[in-house]
Amino acid sequence: MALSAAGLYRRMRLIRDFEELALRLVKSGDIVGGTHPYIGEEAVAVGVCAALAEQDLITSTHRGHGHVLAKGSDPARMLAELTGRETGLNRGRGGSMHAADIGQGILGANAIVGAAAPIAVGAAWAGQRHGTGQVVATFFGDGGLNQGVLLEALNLAALWQLPVLFVCENNGYATTMPVRTGIAGSATGRAEAFGIPAVTVDGMDVEVVRDATAEAASRARRGDGPGLIECLTYRFGPHHTMEYGIRLNYRTQEEIEHWRQRDPLTIQGGRITPAERAQADAEIEELLAEAERFALTSPRPDPAGALDYLYASGMAARAGVA
Amino acid sequence: MALSAAGLYRRMRLIRDFEELALRLVKSGDIVGGTHPYIGEEAVAVGVCAALAEQDLITSTHRGHGHVLAKGSDPARMLAELTGRETGLNRGRGGSMHAADIGQGILGANAIVGAAAPIAVGAAWAGQRHGTGQVVATFFGDGGLNQGVLLEALNLAALWQLPVLFVCENNGYATTMPVRTGIAGSATGRAEAFGIPAVTVDGMDVEVVRDATAEAASRARRGDGPGLIECLTYRFGPHHTMEYGIRLNYRTQEEIEHWRQRDPLTIQGGRITPAERAQADAEIEELLAEAERFALTSPRPDPAGALDYLYASGMAARAGVA
Amino acid sequence: MTKLSYPKALNKALRDEMERDPAVCVFGEDIGAGIAQVTLGLLNKFGSDRVVDTPLSEQAFTSMAIGAALCGMRPVIEFQIPSLLFLTFEQIANQAHKMSLMTGGQVCVPVTYVVPGSGSRAGWAGQHSDHPYSLFTHVGVKTAVPATPTDAYGLLVSAIRDADPVVLFAPAGAMAVRDDVDSRALEPVPLGRARIHRAGTDVTVVAVGHLVHEALAVADELDGEISVEVFDPRTVYPFDWDGLAASIAKTGRLVTIDDSNRSCGIGAEIIATVTEEMTLVAPPKRVTRPDGAVLPFALELDRAVQPSREQLVTAIKTVMK
Amino acid sequence: MTKLSYPKALNKALRDEMERDPAVCVFGEDIGAGIAQVTLGLLNKFGSDRVVDTPLSEQAFTSMAIGAALCGMRPVIEFQIPSLLFLTFEQIANQAHKMSLMTGGQVCVPVTYVVPGSGSRAGWAGQHSDHPYSLFTHVGVKTAVPATPTDAYGLLVSAIRDADPVVLFAPAGAMAVRDDVDSRALEPVPLGRARIHRAGTDVTVVAVGHLVHEALAVADELDGEISVEVFDPRTVYPFDWDGLAASIAKTGRLVTIDDSNRSCGIGAEIIATVTEEMTLVAPPKRVTRPDGAVLPFALELDRAVQPSREQLVTAIKTVMK
Ligand SMILES: Cc1ncc(C[n+]2csc(CCOP(=O)(O)OP(=O)(O)O)c2C)c(N)n1
Ligand SMILES: Cc1ncc(C[n+]2csc(CCOP(=O)(O)OP(=O)(O)O)c2C)c(N)n1
Ligand SMILES: [Mg+2]
Ligand SMILES: [Mg+2]
């Protein structure tokens, strides 16, 4: 969905504030199990989704809140999901790592690193076969580049020239492992080895990400096959909120500060008027206040329905005690 | 083990005639379950192993007879294995796809495509840690290049600069699938994407294969890490002997004839005197006659010992009926 | 009326479903050539956009089937060897199986996995002779193990039409079985409905897959002496507990024979459920592979590890004591 | 005498074995940082050639451990989440487990796989809450599920010293348990030896992992009314059948409670073996997760799918009827 400069800022602001709100709800216990905050990486999700059409599809990751919001899910229902409510995107069954919203073309976050890429390839294959002209963007981290199944997926997408955009969110670390100690070669080099055009872009600049995505997307729509976009980005916060509880010294304060200087919101905020910015901030604040109210006042699922949807055929599973 | 021109020919002749003998024994029913004949690819196994030292290690594949013989296993005990005898390399427990001979540095054939590569990486890691100076050569086919675990293994070997030689036997097909329809990019391109030096060589010329291997092996021994050698070769026979029973038209007679013109035995045979050649042929004939006698007169395993070696700890498993 | 072979039955089921429903497609290795016979002729008939020869990347194409299913397709995957189910266990058990619940019912994943020649194929040894249907029973993926061509046809059709992932094992030991059927009379066999191959009053023998035929042979052998009811669940998950209860109510005795490893195999589940919920007049017995079995290569060793007719006879006589 | 925590017990076992045997090394993700606490301090003490932080390539490094084992090492692998055992099922069940037999005894593969925090971790939902120990029992890979820090120490030591692959599940539900022990008194616990946590005469409750503590609480609750023997197998494979037979001989009644799915779970195996080989005075009962369970995210749903104390009490009272 095409967005103005202010629109891009607004989307990123939505994600930033949503994630801050989620952190508060983790601390308050309203979100159980914690989250993998997307703070700092907003330009990737927003830039990519800004270059996609409504009907295009995405797959997401364990760090997926930003992708889901960028593609257009209702923040209130996303927050209801995170707080385990019946009104959540997944009726409270999925949570932070499994949020899906088929109506918005979000085939689902995935808690297994790298696992969503071949699913995206399958969706692209079906779309190509049906001539829908859909493009499928699949997000994954630098760590995902080391999952064999993702490398297999690159081969399939290249062989069959499928409309898949492989979006590598290179935030420098897989949990505590720095990219250079985990990855021989490079993200783009791996894609190119399969004959997939690849670029590395500034993942902190939403317009740069959007333009790179738009180019790859139009190639894919023309039938010229997949592309890979490596977005250099950084998470300002912990790998997961549990990190607040344990001391891990895998990053220096200097490094974190250095990247904070390149906050995607500051960069994009500088491209719009103070008035536009203030308006967006206010709108988001209100929208999230409403989302929080909606989520926290929504009904919790009935334990009697714990195994609802286990089988799409409606088959009932035997209980754990006869 | 350094071999003269005649020695190289002799090794290939051994494999060629062993495989022909195995085909006879499949037809006669002495070998149960069939084999994946190595006929036509002899120069790869012999060339690679000729550049290895005694203490070096290899892992093999479902098409592994050539590797095992080239690395130095006793043909008689290998044939005893294929005919399911207690005197076999694996005491008749492994068969064609699992032949192993630790004494000769053969860590084992593997019936799962691509599965041996990370095992080789682990062996190389242990060797490096122990400072043995060992090099580990891992054979795999073009189809193996599409197994995620093998691609993951390339990354680990490259990251840790392990002494692994990745030997890709590109015989043009994965069963019925032509390389071009299965592989986007190339074998060497995939290795290079991980920063691994890679070469493509004439896999029908044993001396070319040996020299390429020697170069990669000395690099690895120097601590300069892994290498990949793609050997362009061809199987003159079926994917598996079951193919004799079913019509599969994935290769043209012209193509098969074209490659037969480049028979590795003819090429290497041309480099030695007719006398040397005749002598080698005769020696091998005698050696295999003796091997056949040994195998077919060896005792069959006692069914009572069907689960011997299941647990190295000696633990006994419960029987299938109480 | 022609003799229907097992591979032909699978082939016909696939062909019929592909004709009936354009969403049905097939992924697998060498399926264009039809090496396993299951897909013979399908490439010519339906083309390469419905019969997809895949590279040697089982994990990727197994998840690719999920993605295609999410977009309206009904993929059937052919695996050349049973242990490829180990390689793709993550994709089947952790992805395909879980998506419906995890998305709160937003999606279904109607993918069918077919393994022609499961279990021991003489001489294929350790890594090609597994029979892991109990693993899928445990994780809760629907699992069929047809014993006859007619059931192979009917169960494959139902598997393809089912809204959930289904694994279908076609035992190597049953591949040679032929049925005398009018192919026009073939019809879907519902998942979870057992088949009594032979009625009896003294003991219920639950036999799975190819071992149904061993059980029938034993029933003949014991005819006059012991009246054996041969109960074929046809699907090990879901299991036809009501059907088994009816049989047990009649016989009061139970013997199971199946080709999975002993511990936590379907034999254990059958005995456990029957003991918890039904009434037996004598302790039950099960015949299985040994614990942790790995099939050795040499034929006599391979055979020694598989459940045998002799073991079944002894088990039946023991429960009749 | 200090309170020993569960993670500390695993950490000490690893440290002690690494000191004792230079062949012991550790592979895993973020183990240098010691995120799961199991490997805390080991990198500094033993260096990066024995404590290897691996990239996100579980399949490759799991097979890498096999190769290292073939060359004399005794690798321990830490998996961050239980479902990584699905991802590496091929490497463990089809490679590591089978090598000894397939090579005719030429090699052994002494690799230990540790999963700290197996089972449900509140809020981690569908793909991070599995408890697949019954899968390894079925394929025949040795499997330990320690309920206490003392047993966690002793079983991990034995697993590392064992010549075969061993999977050790450290249930999330037991991670908070602490033991009052003199750490100098810690010793290896043999695989296959059960532990009677509480003697009783009316009913044997076989409880696995963290549920041992639920069983003990229930035994207290029923004290005076029903005398419950709490039997902890400690390893589900091999299983201490002799120990269980002795307990059943005393009580004649059996209830199992474990956190795996119902069909083909360890509960089924225990009931099947007891019914075949031992004598019960009343039909047994098992408490498990439901068939095919996928843990939903919302806490009340997650809890509803797990075996509960209430279910155990009901089951015990039923077998006592
Ligand atoms: C296959 C797999 N292995 C391990 C994990 C545990 N884990 C969750 S996130 C993560 C790091 C992922 O790093 P990256 O792909 O770079 O994404 P990022 O967290 O940096 O966004 C790990 C190891 C997992 N979920 N899946
Ligand atoms: C992972 C896996 N998938 C499928 C098979 C079945 N299979 C055995 S050999 C083979 C083809 C292998 O091709 P390639 O790697 O090129 O070796 P080649 O047979 O040509 O020597 C296949 C598909 C297998 N053994 N392992
Ligand atoms: Mg990262
Ligand atoms: Mg090939």
PDB file of all heavy atoms in Angstrom, chain C residues 7 10 13 35 64 70 86 117-118 129 161 168 187 210 227 231 259 271 293:
ATOM      1  N   PRO C   7      -0.089 -50.855  -6.056  1.00  0.00           N
ATOM      2  CA  PRO C   7       0.372 -49.590  -6.653  1.00  0.00           C
ATOM      3  C   PRO C   7      -0.655 -49.005  -7.615  1.00  0.00           C
ATOM      4  O   PRO C   7      -0.874 -47.778  -7.630  1.00  0.00           O
ATOM      5  CB  PRO C   7       1.649 -50.000  -7.395  1.00  0.00           C
ATOM      6  CG  PRO C   7       2.088 -51.274  -6.749  1.00  0.00           C
ATOM      7  CD  PRO C   7       0.840 -51.969  -6.305  1.00  0.00           C
ATOM      8  N   LEU C  10      -3.283 -47.082  -5.686  1.00  0.00           N
ATOM      9  CA  LEU C  10      -2.824 -45.745  -5.274  1.00  0.00           C
ATOM     10  C   LEU C  10      -2.811 -44.817  -6.478  1.00  0.00           C
ATOM     11  O   LEU C  10      -3.233 -43.658  -6.412  1.00  0.00           O
ATOM     12  CB  LEU C  10      -1.430 -45.843  -4.650  1.00  0.00           C
ATOM     13  CG  LEU C  10      -1.319 -46.581  -3.312  1.00  0.00           C
ATOM     14  CD1 LEU C  10       0.145 -46.743  -2.910  1.00  0.00           C
ATOM     15  CD2 LEU C  10      -2.087 -45.836  -2.217  1.00  0.00           C
ATOM     16  N   ALA C  13      -6.348 -43.818  -7.348  1.00  0.00           N
ATOM     17  CA  ALA C  13      -6.886 -42.865  -6.369  1.00  0.00           C
ATOM     18  C   ALA C  13      -6.380 -41.456  -6.682  1.00  0.00           C
ATOM     19  O   ALA C  13      -7.149 -40.489  -6.724  1.00  0.00           O
ATOM     20  CB  ALA C  13      -6.487 -43.282  -4.960  1.00  0.00           C
ATOM     21  N   ILE C  35       8.792 -43.710 -10.822  1.00  0.00           N
ATOM     22  CA  ILE C  35       9.619 -44.821 -10.331  1.00  0.00           C
ATOM     23  C   ILE C  35       8.863 -45.718  -9.357  1.00  0.00           C
ATOM     24  O   ILE C  35       8.938 -46.946  -9.423  1.00  0.00           O
ATOM     25  CB  ILE C  35      10.888 -44.281  -9.636  1.00  0.00           C
ATOM     26  CG1 ILE C  35      11.922 -43.866 -10.684  1.00  0.00           C
ATOM     27  CG2 ILE C  35      11.483 -45.327  -8.703  1.00  0.00           C
ATOM     28  CD1 ILE C  35      13.306 -43.673 -10.125  1.00  0.00           C
ATOM     29  N   MET C  64       6.855 -26.375   1.505  1.00  0.00           N
ATOM     30  CA  MET C  64       6.267 -25.722   0.339  1.00  0.00           C
ATOM     31  C   MET C  64       4.820 -26.196   0.162  1.00  0.00           C
ATOM     32  O   MET C  64       3.926 -25.401  -0.166  1.00  0.00           O
ATOM     33  CB  MET C  64       7.103 -26.083  -0.883  1.00  0.00           C
ATOM     34  CG  MET C  64       6.673 -25.386  -2.135  1.00  0.00           C
ATOM     35  SD  MET C  64       7.674 -25.957  -3.522  1.00  0.00           S
ATOM     36  CE  MET C  64       6.486 -25.671  -4.823  1.00  0.00           C
ATOM     37  N   LEU C  70      -2.079 -23.456   2.119  1.00  0.00           N
ATOM     38  CA  LEU C  70      -2.630 -22.215   2.681  1.00  0.00           C
ATOM     39  C   LEU C  70      -3.254 -21.362   1.577  1.00  0.00           C
ATOM     40  O   LEU C  70      -4.071 -20.488   1.838  1.00  0.00           O
ATOM     41  CB  LEU C  70      -1.544 -21.412   3.403  1.00  0.00           C
ATOM     42  CG  LEU C  70      -0.909 -22.062   4.637  1.00  0.00           C
ATOM     43  CD1 LEU C  70       0.130 -21.124   5.252  1.00  0.00           C
ATOM     44  CD2 LEU C  70      -1.965 -22.426   5.670  1.00  0.00           C
ATOM     45  N   PHE C  86      11.487 -38.930   8.984  1.00  0.00           N
ATOM     46  CA  PHE C  86      12.324 -38.420  10.084  1.00  0.00           C
ATOM     47  C   PHE C  86      12.881 -37.061   9.672  1.00  0.00           C
ATOM     48  O   PHE C  86      12.865 -36.097  10.435  1.00  0.00           O
ATOM     49  CB  PHE C  86      13.502 -39.361  10.371  1.00  0.00           C
ATOM     50  CG  PHE C  86      13.129 -40.735  10.850  1.00  0.00           C
ATOM     51  CD1 PHE C  86      14.044 -41.780  10.736  1.00  0.00           C
ATOM     52  CD2 PHE C  86      11.894 -41.007  11.421  1.00  0.00           C
ATOM     53  CE1 PHE C  86      13.731 -43.055  11.196  1.00  0.00           C
ATOM     54  CE2 PHE C  86      11.574 -42.276  11.878  1.00  0.00           C
ATOM     55  CZ  PHE C  86      12.499 -43.295  11.758  1.00  0.00           C
ATOM     56  N   GLY C 117       6.011 -48.511  -0.063  1.00  0.00           N
ATOM     57  CA  GLY C 117       7.106 -49.416   0.310  1.00  0.00           C
ATOM     58  C   GLY C 117       7.673 -49.123   1.678  1.00  0.00           C
ATOM     59  O   GLY C 117       8.882 -49.101   1.874  1.00  0.00           O
ATOM     60  N   SER C 118       6.781 -48.916   2.666  1.00  0.00           N
ATOM     61  CA  SER C 118       7.267 -48.663   4.023  1.00  0.00           C
ATOM     62  C   SER C 118       7.605 -49.985   4.706  1.00  0.00           C
ATOM     63  O   SER C 118       7.146 -51.043   4.299  1.00  0.00           O
ATOM     64  CB  SER C 118       6.196 -47.919   4.827  1.00  0.00           C
ATOM     65  OG  SER C 118       4.977 -48.638   4.835  1.00  0.00           O
ATOM     66  N   SER C 129      14.404 -49.044   6.206  1.00  0.00           N
ATOM     67  CA  SER C 129      13.454 -50.110   6.551  1.00  0.00           C
ATOM     68  C   SER C 129      12.557 -49.772   7.730  1.00  0.00           C
ATOM     69  O   SER C 129      12.023 -50.666   8.384  1.00  0.00           O
ATOM     70  CB  SER C 129      14.242 -51.393   6.859  1.00  0.00           C
ATOM     71  OG  SER C 129      15.071 -51.732   5.762  1.00  0.00           O
ATOM     72  N   ARG C 161      -8.978 -35.811   0.506  1.00  0.00           N
ATOM     73  CA  ARG C 161     -10.143 -34.933   0.741  1.00  0.00           C
ATOM     74  C   ARG C 161     -10.182 -34.368   2.149  1.00  0.00           C
ATOM     75  O   ARG C 161     -10.892 -33.410   2.424  1.00  0.00           O
ATOM     76  CB  ARG C 161     -11.435 -35.707   0.470  1.00  0.00           C
ATOM     77  CG  ARG C 161     -11.580 -36.123  -0.978  1.00  0.00           C
ATOM     78  CD  ARG C 161     -12.886 -36.854  -1.210  1.00  0.00           C
ATOM     79  NE  ARG C 161     -12.918 -37.419  -2.560  1.00  0.00           N
ATOM     80  CZ  ARG C 161     -13.912 -38.156  -3.040  1.00  0.00           C
ATOM     81  NH1 ARG C 161     -14.979 -38.396  -2.260  1.00  0.00           N
ATOM     82  NH2 ARG C 161     -13.863 -38.646  -4.252  1.00  0.00           N
ATOM     83  N   LEU C 168       0.071 -41.586   4.787  1.00  0.00           N
ATOM     84  CA  LEU C 168      -0.367 -42.903   4.356  1.00  0.00           C
ATOM     85  C   LEU C 168       0.847 -43.789   4.097  1.00  0.00           C
ATOM     86  O   LEU C 168       1.697 -43.464   3.270  1.00  0.00           O
ATOM     87  CB  LEU C 168      -1.244 -42.822   3.100  1.00  0.00           C
ATOM     88  CG  LEU C 168      -1.875 -44.158   2.660  1.00  0.00           C
ATOM     89  CD1 LEU C 168      -3.273 -43.941   2.106  1.00  0.00           C
ATOM     90  CD2 LEU C 168      -1.014 -44.872   1.630  1.00  0.00           C
ATOM     91  N   GLU C 187     -14.505 -47.117  -3.662  1.00  0.00           N
ATOM     92  CA  GLU C 187     -15.046 -45.899  -3.063  1.00  0.00           C
ATOM     93  C   GLU C 187     -14.198 -45.456  -1.875  1.00  0.00           C
ATOM     94  O   GLU C 187     -13.362 -46.216  -1.397  1.00  0.00           O
ATOM     95  CB  GLU C 187     -16.487 -46.133  -2.633  1.00  0.00           C
ATOM     96  CG  GLU C 187     -16.673 -47.364  -1.787  1.00  0.00           C
ATOM     97  CD  GLU C 187     -18.143 -47.642  -1.473  1.00  0.00           C
ATOM     98  OE1 GLU C 187     -19.017 -47.046  -2.137  1.00  0.00           O
ATOM     99  OE2 GLU C 187     -18.395 -48.435  -0.553  1.00  0.00           O
ATOM    100  N   HIS C 210       0.522 -54.866   6.297  1.00  0.00           N
ATOM    101  CA  HIS C 210       0.780 -56.160   5.640  1.00  0.00           C
ATOM    102  C   HIS C 210       0.569 -57.333   6.590  1.00  0.00           C
ATOM    103  O   HIS C 210       0.310 -58.450   6.152  1.00  0.00           O
ATOM    104  CB  HIS C 210       2.198 -56.184   5.081  1.00  0.00           C
ATOM    105  CG  HIS C 210       3.267 -55.967   6.113  1.00  0.00           C
ATOM    106  ND1 HIS C 210       3.403 -54.791   6.793  1.00  0.00           N
ATOM    107  CD2 HIS C 210       4.225 -56.798   6.600  1.00  0.00           C
ATOM    108  CE1 HIS C 210       4.426 -54.881   7.627  1.00  0.00           C
ATOM    109  NE2 HIS C 210       4.936 -56.085   7.547  1.00  0.00           N
ATOM    110  N   SER C 227     -11.277 -69.791  17.172  1.00  0.00           N
ATOM    111  CA  SER C 227     -11.992 -68.895  16.263  1.00  0.00           C
ATOM    112  C   SER C 227     -11.423 -67.480  16.390  1.00  0.00           C
ATOM    113  O   SER C 227     -11.660 -66.782  17.385  1.00  0.00           O
ATOM    114  CB  SER C 227     -13.485 -68.914  16.600  1.00  0.00           C
ATOM    115  OG  SER C 227     -14.136 -67.858  15.914  1.00  0.00           O
ATOM    116  N   PHE C 231      -9.019 -58.114  13.019  1.00  0.00           N
ATOM    117  CA  PHE C 231      -9.461 -56.717  13.083  1.00  0.00           C
ATOM    118  C   PHE C 231      -8.369 -55.819  12.499  1.00  0.00           C
ATOM    119  O   PHE C 231      -7.261 -55.756  13.023  1.00  0.00           O
ATOM    120  CB  PHE C 231      -9.733 -56.366  14.550  1.00  0.00           C
ATOM    121  CG  PHE C 231     -10.258 -54.975  14.795  1.00  0.00           C
ATOM    122  CD1 PHE C 231     -11.630 -54.756  14.955  1.00  0.00           C
ATOM    123  CD2 PHE C 231      -9.396 -53.884  14.906  1.00  0.00           C
ATOM    124  CE1 PHE C 231     -12.118 -53.474  15.218  1.00  0.00           C
ATOM    125  CE2 PHE C 231      -9.887 -52.608  15.165  1.00  0.00           C
ATOM    126  CZ  PHE C 231     -11.256 -52.405  15.320  1.00  0.00           C
ATOM    127  N   ASP C 259       4.121 -53.871  12.980  1.00  0.00           N
ATOM    128  CA  ASP C 259       5.524 -53.836  12.563  1.00  0.00           C
ATOM    129  C   ASP C 259       6.282 -52.635  13.115  1.00  0.00           C
ATOM    130  O   ASP C 259       7.343 -52.281  12.603  1.00  0.00           O
ATOM    131  CB  ASP C 259       5.573 -53.837  11.022  1.00  0.00           C
ATOM    132  CG  ASP C 259       6.971 -54.093  10.476  1.00  0.00           C
ATOM    133  OD1 ASP C 259       7.703 -54.901  11.075  1.00  0.00           O
ATOM    134  OD2 ASP C 259       7.322 -53.476   9.448  1.00  0.00           O
ATOM    135  N   ILE C 271      -3.414 -52.022  23.671  1.00  0.00           N
ATOM    136  CA  ILE C 271      -3.536 -52.763  24.937  1.00  0.00           C
ATOM    137  C   ILE C 271      -3.898 -51.813  26.071  1.00  0.00           C
ATOM    138  O   ILE C 271      -4.771 -52.102  26.900  1.00  0.00           O
ATOM    139  CB  ILE C 271      -2.231 -53.531  25.235  1.00  0.00           C
ATOM    140  CG1 ILE C 271      -2.101 -54.697  24.248  1.00  0.00           C
ATOM    141  CG2 ILE C 271      -2.208 -54.016  26.682  1.00  0.00           C
ATOM    142  CD1 ILE C 271      -0.908 -55.581  24.481  1.00  0.00           C
ATOM    143  N   ALA C 293      14.491 -51.235  17.514  1.00  0.00           N
ATOM    144  CA  ALA C 293      14.991 -52.063  16.412  1.00  0.00           C
ATOM    145  C   ALA C 293      15.633 -51.250  15.286  1.00  0.00           C
ATOM    146  O   ALA C 293      15.109 -50.218  14.865  1.00  0.00           O
ATOM    147  CB  ALA C 293      13.853 -52.901  15.853  1.00  0.00           C
TER     148      ALA C 293
END
